[in-house]
Amino acid sequence: MAATGVAAVELDHGGSKLRIDGVPPVVFADAPSAAAAAAAAPPSRRPRRRREAPEALAAAEEGLHWVTSPIVGTFYRAPNPDADPYVKVGDVVPRGPDLCIVEAMKLMNEIECDLAGTIVKVLPDNAQPVEYGERLFAIRPA
């Protein structure tokens, strides 16, 4: 859309609407990049990244089953904002119950547990966008 200069396209057919905005991102030439700002900060204020050796990561992830997102959408840990999360790290889950919801186009898609085991990791934060195939949970099989 940026190549054609079209700002937006909206289709209305049989009560269904689809709108695609092609607004280019705004870039400020005077604003420092996040990397430049972090480098300019005093050492005590710089964000620290914990780097583990690839061997240590592989050993820690060995034997884990990954539940991935079947669609692009927004990840929700609970059925509504006031409810407790479906699962937490350390929970032992059987095969079948819901682990989370991925909302796509106002449809709430319940993601079920496909393997019995213990929840080891919950990767996305609540209300975070997720991509197709993105890892959501790590489960240690029972």
Short mmCIF file of all heavy atoms in Angstrom, two decimals, residues 4-80:
data_model
loop_
_atom_site.label_atom_id
_atom_site.label_comp_id
_atom_site.label_asym_id
_atom_site.label_seq_id
_atom_site.Cartn_x
_atom_site.Cartn_y
_atom_site.Cartn_z
N THR A 4 1.83 2.39 -3.51
CA THR A 4 0.78 3.01 -4.33
C THR A 4 0.30 4.34 -3.76
O THR A 4 -0.38 5.07 -4.44
CB THR A 4 -0.43 2.07 -4.46
OG1 THR A 4 -0.98 1.85 -3.16
CG2 THR A 4 -0.04 0.76 -5.11
N GLY A 5 0.62 4.60 -2.49
CA GLY A 5 0.18 5.84 -1.86
C GLY A 5 -1.24 5.78 -1.32
O GLY A 5 -1.79 6.77 -0.86
N VAL A 6 -1.85 4.58 -1.32
CA VAL A 6 -3.20 4.42 -0.79
C VAL A 6 -3.11 4.40 0.73
O VAL A 6 -2.32 3.67 1.31
CB VAL A 6 -3.84 3.11 -1.31
CG1 VAL A 6 -5.18 2.86 -0.66
CG2 VAL A 6 -3.97 3.16 -2.82
N ALA A 7 -3.92 5.21 1.40
CA ALA A 7 -3.89 5.31 2.86
C ALA A 7 -4.67 4.18 3.51
O ALA A 7 -4.27 3.64 4.52
CB ALA A 7 -4.42 6.65 3.32
N ALA A 8 -5.82 3.81 2.91
CA ALA A 8 -6.65 2.76 3.50
C ALA A 8 -7.59 2.19 2.46
O ALA A 8 -7.93 2.85 1.48
CB ALA A 8 -7.45 3.31 4.67
N VAL A 9 -8.01 0.95 2.71
CA VAL A 9 -9.01 0.28 1.87
C VAL A 9 -10.05 -0.29 2.82
O VAL A 9 -9.70 -0.92 3.82
CB VAL A 9 -8.37 -0.85 1.04
CG1 VAL A 9 -9.44 -1.64 0.30
CG2 VAL A 9 -7.35 -0.30 0.08
N GLU A 10 -11.32 -0.07 2.51
CA GLU A 10 -12.38 -0.61 3.34
C GLU A 10 -13.38 -1.32 2.44
O GLU A 10 -13.84 -0.77 1.45
CB GLU A 10 -13.08 0.49 4.13
CG GLU A 10 -14.06 -0.05 5.14
CD GLU A 10 -14.59 1.04 6.05
OE1 GLU A 10 -15.56 1.71 5.64
OE2 GLU A 10 -14.03 1.21 7.15
N LEU A 11 -13.70 -2.58 2.80
CA LEU A 11 -14.66 -3.37 2.05
C LEU A 11 -15.85 -3.66 2.96
O LEU A 11 -15.68 -4.00 4.12
CB LEU A 11 -14.04 -4.70 1.60
CG LEU A 11 -12.80 -4.60 0.72
CD1 LEU A 11 -12.18 -5.97 0.54
CD2 LEU A 11 -13.17 -4.02 -0.63
N ASP A 12 -17.06 -3.52 2.40
CA ASP A 12 -18.28 -3.80 3.14
C ASP A 12 -19.11 -4.71 2.25
O ASP A 12 -19.53 -4.32 1.17
CB ASP A 12 -19.02 -2.50 3.44
CG ASP A 12 -20.23 -2.73 4.32
OD1 ASP A 12 -20.47 -3.86 4.77
OD2 ASP A 12 -20.95 -1.75 4.56
N HIS A 13 -19.31 -5.98 2.71
CA HIS A 13 -20.03 -6.94 1.89
C HIS A 13 -20.92 -7.79 2.79
O HIS A 13 -20.43 -8.49 3.67
CB HIS A 13 -19.04 -7.84 1.14
CG HIS A 13 -19.70 -8.88 0.29
ND1 HIS A 13 -20.42 -8.57 -0.83
CD2 HIS A 13 -19.75 -10.23 0.41
CE1 HIS A 13 -20.88 -9.69 -1.36
NE2 HIS A 13 -20.49 -10.71 -0.62
N GLY A 14 -22.20 -7.71 2.59
CA GLY A 14 -23.14 -8.55 3.33
C GLY A 14 -23.09 -8.37 4.83
O GLY A 14 -23.22 -9.33 5.57
N GLY A 15 -22.83 -7.18 5.30
CA GLY A 15 -22.78 -6.92 6.74
C GLY A 15 -21.41 -7.13 7.35
O GLY A 15 -21.19 -6.83 8.51
N SER A 16 -20.47 -7.66 6.59
CA SER A 16 -19.10 -7.84 7.09
C SER A 16 -18.23 -6.71 6.56
O SER A 16 -18.34 -6.33 5.40
CB SER A 16 -18.52 -9.17 6.62
OG SER A 16 -19.26 -10.24 7.15
N LYS A 17 -17.39 -6.19 7.44
CA LYS A 17 -16.50 -5.10 7.05
C LYS A 17 -15.05 -5.53 7.23
O LYS A 17 -14.72 -6.22 8.19
CB LYS A 17 -16.75 -3.86 7.89
CG LYS A 17 -18.04 -3.15 7.58
CD LYS A 17 -18.15 -1.86 8.36
CE LYS A 17 -19.44 -1.15 7.99
NZ LYS A 17 -19.54 0.15 8.65
N LEU A 18 -14.21 -5.10 6.32
CA LEU A 18 -12.78 -5.32 6.40
C LEU A 18 -12.10 -4.00 6.07
O LEU A 18 -12.40 -3.38 5.06
CB LEU A 18 -12.33 -6.39 5.40
CG LEU A 18 -10.83 -6.58 5.25
CD1 LEU A 18 -10.24 -7.14 6.54
CD2 LEU A 18 -10.51 -7.48 4.09
N ARG A 19 -11.21 -3.55 6.97
CA ARG A 19 -10.48 -2.31 6.74
C ARG A 19 -9.00 -2.59 6.87
O ARG A 19 -8.56 -3.20 7.84
CB ARG A 19 -10.89 -1.24 7.74
CG ARG A 19 -10.13 0.06 7.54
CD ARG A 19 -10.63 1.15 8.49
NE ARG A 19 -9.84 2.34 8.37
CZ ARG A 19 -10.04 3.31 7.48
NH1 ARG A 19 -11.04 3.22 6.64
NH2 ARG A 19 -9.28 4.37 7.44
N ILE A 20 -8.24 -2.14 5.89
CA ILE A 20 -6.79 -2.28 5.91
C ILE A 20 -6.20 -0.88 5.82
O ILE A 20 -6.46 -0.15 4.87
CB ILE A 20 -6.29 -3.13 4.73
CG1 ILE A 20 -6.93 -4.52 4.78
CG2 ILE A 20 -4.77 -3.23 4.74
CD1 ILE A 20 -6.66 -5.37 3.57
N ASP A 21 -5.43 -0.52 6.86
CA ASP A 21 -4.78 0.78 6.88
C ASP A 21 -3.34 0.63 6.42
O ASP A 21 -2.64 -0.27 6.87
CB ASP A 21 -4.79 1.38 8.29
CG ASP A 21 -6.17 1.83 8.71
OD1 ASP A 21 -6.95 2.26 7.85
OD2 ASP A 21 -6.46 1.74 9.90
N GLY A 22 -2.92 1.49 5.55
CA GLY A 22 -1.56 1.45 5.06
C GLY A 22 -0.77 2.66 5.49
O GLY A 22 0.00 3.22 4.73
N VAL A 23 -0.95 3.07 6.73
CA VAL A 23 -0.28 4.25 7.24
C VAL A 23 1.18 3.89 7.51
O VAL A 23 1.47 2.96 8.26
CB VAL A 23 -0.95 4.75 8.54
CG1 VAL A 23 -0.24 5.96 9.09
CG2 VAL A 23 -2.42 5.04 8.28
N PRO A 24 2.11 4.61 6.89
CA PRO A 24 3.52 4.30 7.12
C PRO A 24 3.92 4.69 8.54
O PRO A 24 3.36 5.62 9.13
CB PRO A 24 4.27 5.14 6.09
CG PRO A 24 3.34 6.27 5.77
CD PRO A 24 1.95 5.73 5.96
N PRO A 25 4.90 3.99 9.12
CA PRO A 25 5.34 4.34 10.47
C PRO A 25 6.03 5.70 10.47
O PRO A 25 6.67 6.08 9.49
CB PRO A 25 6.32 3.23 10.84
CG PRO A 25 6.78 2.68 9.53
CD PRO A 25 5.65 2.87 8.56
N VAL A 26 5.89 6.42 11.56
CA VAL A 26 6.51 7.72 11.71
C VAL A 26 7.90 7.51 12.31
O VAL A 26 8.04 6.85 13.33
CB VAL A 26 5.67 8.64 12.62
CG1 VAL A 26 6.36 9.96 12.83
CG2 VAL A 26 4.29 8.82 12.03
N VAL A 27 8.92 8.08 11.67
CA VAL A 27 10.29 7.96 12.15
C VAL A 27 10.82 9.36 12.39
O VAL A 27 10.75 10.21 11.51
CB VAL A 27 11.18 7.22 11.12
CG1 VAL A 27 12.60 7.16 11.62
CG2 VAL A 27 10.63 5.85 10.83
N PHE A 28 11.31 9.61 13.59
CA PHE A 28 11.86 10.91 13.93
C PHE A 28 13.38 10.83 13.80
O PHE A 28 14.02 10.04 14.48
CB PHE A 28 11.47 11.31 15.35
CG PHE A 28 9.99 11.45 15.52
CD1 PHE A 28 9.25 10.43 16.07
CD2 PHE A 28 9.34 12.60 15.11
CE1 PHE A 28 7.88 10.55 16.21
CE2 PHE A 28 7.98 12.73 15.27
CZ PHE A 28 7.25 11.71 15.82
N ALA A 29 13.94 11.67 12.96
CA ALA A 29 15.38 11.64 12.71
C ALA A 29 16.17 12.07 13.94
O ALA A 29 17.29 11.63 14.15
CB ALA A 29 15.73 12.54 11.53
N ASP A 30 15.60 12.95 14.79
CA ASP A 30 16.33 13.45 15.94
C ASP A 30 16.30 12.51 17.14
O ASP A 30 17.08 12.64 18.06
CB ASP A 30 15.74 14.80 16.38
CG ASP A 30 15.90 15.85 15.29
OD1 ASP A 30 16.70 15.63 14.37
OD2 ASP A 30 15.21 16.88 15.37
N ALA A 31 15.37 11.54 17.14
CA ALA A 31 15.23 10.65 18.30
C ALA A 31 16.31 9.58 18.28
O ALA A 31 16.54 8.95 17.26
CB ALA A 31 13.86 9.99 18.28
N PRO A 32 17.01 9.39 19.41
CA PRO A 32 18.04 8.35 19.44
C PRO A 32 17.39 6.98 19.45
O PRO A 32 16.29 6.80 19.94
CB PRO A 32 18.77 8.60 20.76
CG PRO A 32 17.78 9.30 21.62
CD PRO A 32 16.92 10.10 20.67
N SER A 33 18.07 6.01 18.87
CA SER A 33 17.55 4.65 18.89
C SER A 33 17.65 4.10 20.29
O SER A 33 18.40 4.60 21.14
CB SER A 33 18.35 3.77 17.92
OG SER A 33 19.66 3.57 18.43
N ALA A 34 16.91 3.06 20.57
CA ALA A 34 16.94 2.44 21.90
C ALA A 34 18.33 1.91 22.21
O ALA A 34 18.80 2.00 23.33
CB ALA A 34 15.91 1.31 21.97
N ALA A 35 19.00 1.36 21.19
CA ALA A 35 20.35 0.83 21.40
C ALA A 35 21.32 1.96 21.74
O ALA A 35 22.17 1.82 22.64
CB ALA A 35 20.83 0.09 20.16
N ALA A 36 21.20 3.11 21.06
CA ALA A 36 22.08 4.24 21.34
C ALA A 36 21.80 4.81 22.73
O ALA A 36 22.72 5.17 23.46
CB ALA A 36 21.89 5.32 20.28
N ALA A 37 20.53 4.86 23.12
CA ALA A 37 20.18 5.37 24.45
C ALA A 37 20.71 4.44 25.53
O ALA A 37 21.22 4.90 26.55
CB ALA A 37 18.67 5.51 24.58
N ALA A 38 20.65 3.14 25.32
CA ALA A 38 21.16 2.18 26.31
C ALA A 38 22.67 2.27 26.42
O ALA A 38 23.23 2.19 27.50
CB ALA A 38 20.74 0.76 25.94
N ALA A 39 23.34 2.47 25.29
CA ALA A 39 24.80 2.57 25.30
C ALA A 39 25.25 3.86 25.98
O ALA A 39 26.32 3.90 26.61
CB ALA A 39 25.35 2.50 23.88
N ALA A 40 24.45 4.92 25.88
CA ALA A 40 24.81 6.19 26.47
C ALA A 40 24.54 6.23 27.97
O ALA A 40 25.07 7.07 28.68
CB ALA A 40 24.04 7.32 25.78
N ALA A 41 23.72 5.33 28.45
CA ALA A 41 23.38 5.31 29.88
C ALA A 41 24.58 4.86 30.70
O ALA A 41 25.42 4.12 30.22
CB ALA A 41 22.21 4.35 30.11
N PRO A 42 24.67 5.34 31.94
CA PRO A 42 25.77 4.87 32.79
C PRO A 42 25.67 3.37 32.99
O PRO A 42 24.58 2.80 32.92
CB PRO A 42 25.56 5.62 34.11
CG PRO A 42 24.27 6.32 34.01
CD PRO A 42 23.81 6.28 32.59
N PRO A 43 26.80 2.69 33.24
CA PRO A 43 26.78 1.23 33.34
C PRO A 43 25.77 0.68 34.33
O PRO A 43 25.20 -0.37 34.11
CB PRO A 43 28.21 0.88 33.78
CG PRO A 43 29.04 2.04 33.33
CD PRO A 43 28.14 3.24 33.37
N SER A 44 25.51 1.38 35.43
CA SER A 44 24.55 0.87 36.41
C SER A 44 23.12 0.92 35.91
O SER A 44 22.25 0.24 36.42
CB SER A 44 24.67 1.66 37.71
OG SER A 44 24.32 3.01 37.46
N ARG A 45 22.84 1.74 34.88
CA ARG A 45 21.48 1.90 34.35
C ARG A 45 21.26 1.09 33.08
O ARG A 45 20.17 1.05 32.57
CB ARG A 45 21.20 3.37 34.04
CG ARG A 45 21.19 4.24 35.23
CD ARG A 45 20.09 3.82 36.13
NE ARG A 45 19.46 4.98 36.70
CZ ARG A 45 18.30 4.95 37.26
NH1 ARG A 45 17.62 3.86 37.31
NH2 ARG A 45 17.80 6.02 37.80
N ARG A 46 22.32 0.49 32.54
CA ARG A 46 22.16 -0.27 31.31
C ARG A 46 21.43 -1.57 31.60
O ARG A 46 21.69 -2.22 32.59
CB ARG A 46 23.52 -0.60 30.70
CG ARG A 46 24.20 0.59 30.10
CD ARG A 46 25.45 0.19 29.38
NE ARG A 46 26.19 1.39 29.04
CZ ARG A 46 27.49 1.44 28.90
NH1 ARG A 46 28.22 0.35 29.06
NH2 ARG A 46 28.08 2.56 28.58
N PRO A 47 20.49 -1.94 30.70
CA PRO A 47 19.81 -3.22 30.91
C PRO A 47 20.81 -4.36 30.73
O PRO A 47 21.63 -4.33 29.84
CB PRO A 47 18.73 -3.24 29.83
CG PRO A 47 19.13 -2.22 28.83
CD PRO A 47 20.02 -1.24 29.53
N ARG A 48 20.72 -5.34 31.60
CA ARG A 48 21.62 -6.49 31.50
C ARG A 48 20.86 -7.66 30.91
O ARG A 48 19.76 -7.96 31.32
CB ARG A 48 22.15 -6.87 32.88
CG ARG A 48 23.02 -5.81 33.46
CD ARG A 48 23.49 -6.27 34.82
NE ARG A 48 24.26 -5.20 35.42
CZ ARG A 48 25.51 -5.34 35.81
NH1 ARG A 48 26.11 -6.48 35.69
NH2 ARG A 48 26.15 -4.33 36.33
N ARG A 49 21.49 -8.31 29.99
CA ARG A 49 20.93 -9.52 29.41
C ARG A 49 21.67 -10.71 29.96
O ARG A 49 22.90 -10.74 29.97
CB ARG A 49 21.08 -9.52 27.89
CG ARG A 49 20.15 -8.58 27.22
CD ARG A 49 20.18 -8.82 25.75
NE ARG A 49 19.27 -7.91 25.10
CZ ARG A 49 19.29 -7.65 23.83
NH1 ARG A 49 20.18 -8.21 23.05
NH2 ARG A 49 18.43 -6.81 23.31
N ARG A 50 20.89 -11.67 30.43
CA ARG A 50 21.51 -12.88 30.92
C ARG A 50 21.71 -13.80 29.74
O ARG A 50 20.76 -14.24 29.11
CB ARG A 50 20.58 -13.53 31.94
CG ARG A 50 21.27 -14.58 32.73
CD ARG A 50 20.35 -15.09 33.80
NE ARG A 50 20.00 -16.44 33.41
CZ ARG A 50 18.91 -17.07 33.75
NH1 ARG A 50 18.03 -16.47 34.48
NH2 ARG A 50 18.70 -18.29 33.37
N ARG A 51 22.95 -14.06 29.44
CA ARG A 51 23.26 -14.93 28.31
C ARG A 51 23.72 -16.28 28.82
O ARG A 51 24.61 -16.36 29.64
CB ARG A 51 24.34 -14.31 27.44
CG ARG A 51 23.88 -13.04 26.78
CD ARG A 51 24.93 -12.52 25.86
NE ARG A 51 24.48 -11.27 25.30
CZ ARG A 51 24.45 -11.03 24.00
NH1 ARG A 51 24.85 -11.93 23.16
NH2 ARG A 51 24.05 -9.87 23.56
N GLU A 52 23.07 -17.28 28.31
CA GLU A 52 23.47 -18.63 28.68
C GLU A 52 24.10 -19.28 27.46
O GLU A 52 23.76 -18.97 26.32
CB GLU A 52 22.26 -19.43 29.13
CG GLU A 52 21.64 -18.89 30.40
CD GLU A 52 20.49 -19.75 30.87
OE1 GLU A 52 20.55 -20.98 30.65
OE2 GLU A 52 19.57 -19.21 31.45
N ALA A 53 25.00 -20.17 27.72
CA ALA A 53 25.64 -20.90 26.63
C ALA A 53 24.59 -21.72 25.91
O ALA A 53 23.66 -22.23 26.52
CB ALA A 53 26.73 -21.80 27.19
N PRO A 54 24.71 -21.87 24.58
CA PRO A 54 23.74 -22.66 23.83
C PRO A 54 23.60 -24.08 24.38
O PRO A 54 22.51 -24.64 24.38
CB PRO A 54 24.29 -22.69 22.41
CG PRO A 54 25.18 -21.50 22.32
CD PRO A 54 25.69 -21.26 23.71
N GLU A 55 24.68 -24.64 24.90
CA GLU A 55 24.62 -26.00 25.46
C GLU A 55 23.72 -26.02 26.70
O GLU A 55 22.95 -26.96 26.90
CB GLU A 55 26.02 -26.51 25.85
CG GLU A 55 27.01 -26.55 24.70
CD GLU A 55 27.68 -25.20 24.44
OE1 GLU A 55 27.84 -24.39 25.36
OE2 GLU A 55 28.03 -24.96 23.28
N ALA A 56 23.81 -24.97 27.54
CA ALA A 56 23.00 -24.91 28.74
C ALA A 56 21.52 -24.76 28.38
O ALA A 56 20.65 -25.36 29.01
CB ALA A 56 23.44 -23.75 29.63
N LEU A 57 21.22 -23.94 27.37
CA LEU A 57 19.84 -23.78 26.93
C LEU A 57 19.29 -25.08 26.38
O LEU A 57 18.17 -25.47 26.69
CB LEU A 57 19.73 -22.67 25.88
CG LEU A 57 19.88 -21.25 26.38
CD1 LEU A 57 19.90 -20.28 25.20
CD2 LEU A 57 18.76 -20.90 27.33
N ALA A 58 20.08 -25.75 25.56
CA ALA A 58 19.64 -27.01 24.96
C ALA A 58 19.38 -28.05 26.04
O ALA A 58 18.40 -28.79 26.00
CB ALA A 58 20.66 -27.51 23.96
N ALA A 59 20.25 -28.11 27.06
CA ALA A 59 20.08 -29.08 28.14
C ALA A 59 18.83 -28.76 28.94
O ALA A 59 18.09 -29.67 29.34
CB ALA A 59 21.31 -29.07 29.04
N ALA A 60 18.56 -27.48 29.19
CA ALA A 60 17.39 -27.08 29.97
C ALA A 60 16.10 -27.37 29.20
O ALA A 60 15.07 -27.66 29.79
CB ALA A 60 17.46 -25.61 30.33
N GLU A 61 16.13 -27.25 27.87
CA GLU A 61 14.94 -27.45 27.06
C GLU A 61 14.77 -28.90 26.60
O GLU A 61 13.73 -29.24 26.05
CB GLU A 61 14.98 -26.52 25.85
CG GLU A 61 14.86 -25.06 26.23
CD GLU A 61 14.89 -24.13 25.03
OE1 GLU A 61 15.11 -24.60 23.89
OE2 GLU A 61 14.69 -22.93 25.22
N GLU A 62 15.76 -29.73 26.84
CA GLU A 62 15.68 -31.13 26.40
C GLU A 62 14.51 -31.82 27.09
O GLU A 62 14.33 -31.71 28.30
CB GLU A 62 16.98 -31.85 26.72
CG GLU A 62 17.04 -33.24 26.15
CD GLU A 62 18.39 -33.88 26.39
OE1 GLU A 62 19.41 -33.18 26.30
OE2 GLU A 62 18.41 -35.08 26.67
N GLY A 63 13.74 -32.51 26.33
CA GLY A 63 12.62 -33.25 26.89
C GLY A 63 11.36 -32.44 27.09
O GLY A 63 10.36 -32.97 27.55
N LEU A 64 11.38 -31.14 26.78
CA LEU A 64 10.18 -30.32 26.94
C LEU A 64 9.28 -30.43 25.71
O LEU A 64 9.76 -30.57 24.59
CB LEU A 64 10.53 -28.86 27.17
CG LEU A 64 11.26 -28.52 28.46
CD1 LEU A 64 11.51 -27.02 28.54
CD2 LEU A 64 10.49 -29.00 29.67
N HIS A 65 7.99 -30.35 25.93
CA HIS A 65 7.01 -30.29 24.85
C HIS A 65 6.55 -28.84 24.75
O HIS A 65 6.22 -28.22 25.76
CB HIS A 65 5.83 -31.21 25.16
CG HIS A 65 4.71 -31.05 24.20
ND1 HIS A 65 4.75 -31.56 22.92
CD2 HIS A 65 3.51 -30.42 24.32
CE1 HIS A 65 3.62 -31.26 22.30
NE2 HIS A 65 2.85 -30.57 23.14
N TRP A 66 6.53 -28.30 23.54
CA TRP A 66 6.14 -26.90 23.35
C TRP A 66 4.73 -26.82 22.79
O TRP A 66 4.44 -27.43 21.76
CB TRP A 66 7.12 -26.20 22.42
CG TRP A 66 8.49 -26.14 22.99
CD1 TRP A 66 9.52 -27.01 22.73
CD2 TRP A 66 8.99 -25.20 23.94
NE1 TRP A 66 10.62 -26.65 23.47
CE2 TRP A 66 10.32 -25.55 24.22
CE3 TRP A 66 8.44 -24.11 24.58
CZ2 TRP A 66 11.11 -24.83 25.10
CZ3 TRP A 66 9.21 -23.39 25.47
CH2 TRP A 66 10.54 -23.75 25.71
N VAL A 67 3.87 -26.06 23.44
CA VAL A 67 2.54 -25.76 22.91
C VAL A 67 2.69 -24.45 22.16
O VAL A 67 3.15 -23.46 22.72
CB VAL A 67 1.49 -25.63 24.04
CG1 VAL A 67 0.15 -25.22 23.46
CG2 VAL A 67 1.38 -26.92 24.81
N THR A 68 2.33 -24.46 20.88
CA THR A 68 2.50 -23.27 20.05
C THR A 68 1.15 -22.71 19.63
O THR A 68 0.12 -23.39 19.67
CB THR A 68 3.32 -23.60 18.78
OG1 THR A 68 2.64 -24.62 18.03
CG2 THR A 68 4.71 -24.08 19.14
N SER A 69 1.17 -21.45 19.22
CA SER A 69 -0.06 -20.79 18.80
C SER A 69 -0.45 -21.28 17.40
O SER A 69 0.35 -21.21 16.47
CB SER A 69 0.13 -19.27 18.78
OG SER A 69 -1.06 -18.66 18.35
N PRO A 70 -1.69 -21.72 17.24
CA PRO A 70 -2.13 -22.17 15.92
C PRO A 70 -2.55 -21.01 15.01
O PRO A 70 -2.82 -21.23 13.84
CB PRO A 70 -3.33 -23.07 16.24
CG PRO A 70 -3.88 -22.49 17.51
CD PRO A 70 -2.69 -21.96 18.27
N ILE A 71 -2.61 -19.79 15.57
CA ILE A 71 -3.07 -18.63 14.81
C ILE A 71 -2.35 -17.38 15.29
O ILE A 71 -1.73 -17.37 16.36
CB ILE A 71 -4.60 -18.41 14.97
CG1 ILE A 71 -4.96 -18.33 16.45
CG2 ILE A 71 -5.40 -19.46 14.26
CD1 ILE A 71 -6.40 -18.00 16.72
N VAL A 72 -2.46 -16.32 14.51
CA VAL A 72 -1.99 -14.99 14.92
C VAL A 72 -3.10 -14.36 15.73
O VAL A 72 -4.27 -14.43 15.36
CB VAL A 72 -1.68 -14.13 13.68
CG1 VAL A 72 -1.33 -12.71 14.08
CG2 VAL A 72 -0.57 -14.75 12.86
N GLY A 73 -2.75 -13.76 16.86
CA GLY A 73 -3.78 -13.13 17.68
C GLY A 73 -3.21 -12.55 18.95
O GLY A 73 -2.02 -12.29 19.05
N THR A 74 -4.07 -12.38 19.94
CA THR A 74 -3.68 -11.84 21.24
C THR A 74 -3.82 -12.93 22.28
O THR A 74 -4.87 -13.57 22.39
CB THR A 74 -4.55 -10.63 21.61
OG1 THR A 74 -4.46 -9.66 20.57
CG2 THR A 74 -4.09 -10.01 22.92
N PHE A 75 -2.76 -13.15 23.05
CA PHE A 75 -2.68 -14.21 24.06
C PHE A 75 -3.31 -13.74 25.36
O PHE A 75 -2.99 -12.66 25.86
CB PHE A 75 -1.20 -14.55 24.28
CG PHE A 75 -0.94 -15.51 25.40
CD1 PHE A 75 -1.03 -16.87 25.20
CD2 PHE A 75 -0.56 -15.05 26.65
CE1 PHE A 75 -0.76 -17.76 26.22
CE2 PHE A 75 -0.29 -15.94 27.69
CZ PHE A 75 -0.39 -17.29 27.47
N TYR A 76 -4.22 -14.54 25.91
CA TYR A 76 -4.82 -14.25 27.20
C TYR A 76 -4.68 -15.48 28.10
O TYR A 76 -5.02 -16.59 27.69
CB TYR A 76 -6.31 -13.88 27.08
CG TYR A 76 -6.52 -12.58 26.36
CD1 TYR A 76 -7.00 -12.55 25.06
CD2 TYR A 76 -6.22 -11.38 26.98
CE1 TYR A 76 -7.19 -11.36 24.40
CE2 TYR A 76 -6.41 -10.17 26.33
CZ TYR A 76 -6.89 -10.17 25.04
OH TYR A 76 -7.07 -8.99 24.38
N ARG A 77 -4.20 -15.27 29.33
CA ARG A 77 -3.99 -16.37 30.27
C ARG A 77 -5.25 -16.80 30.99
O ARG A 77 -5.29 -17.87 31.58
CB ARG A 77 -2.94 -15.98 31.30
CG ARG A 77 -1.57 -15.80 30.67
CD ARG A 77 -0.50 -15.67 31.69
NE ARG A 77 -0.43 -16.91 32.47
CZ ARG A 77 0.30 -17.04 33.55
NH1 ARG A 77 1.03 -16.05 33.98
NH2 ARG A 77 0.31 -18.18 34.22
N ALA A 78 -6.29 -15.95 31.00
CA ALA A 78 -7.52 -16.22 31.75
C ALA A 78 -8.73 -15.96 30.87
O ALA A 78 -8.65 -15.21 29.89
CB ALA A 78 -7.57 -15.34 33.00
N PRO A 79 -9.88 -16.54 31.24
CA PRO A 79 -11.08 -16.35 30.42
C PRO A 79 -11.65 -14.93 30.47
O PRO A 79 -12.35 -14.52 29.56
CB PRO A 79 -12.09 -17.35 31.00
CG PRO A 79 -11.58 -17.69 32.35
CD PRO A 79 -10.10 -17.48 32.33
N ASN A 80 -11.32 -14.17 31.53
CA ASN A 80 -11.72 -12.77 31.60
C ASN A 80 -10.74 -12.06 32.53
O ASN A 80 -10.00 -12.70 33.27
CB ASN A 80 -13.19 -12.62 32.05
CG ASN A 80 -13.43 -13.10 33.46
OD1 ASN A 80 -12.83 -12.59 34.42
ND2 ASN A 80 -14.30 -14.10 33.60
#
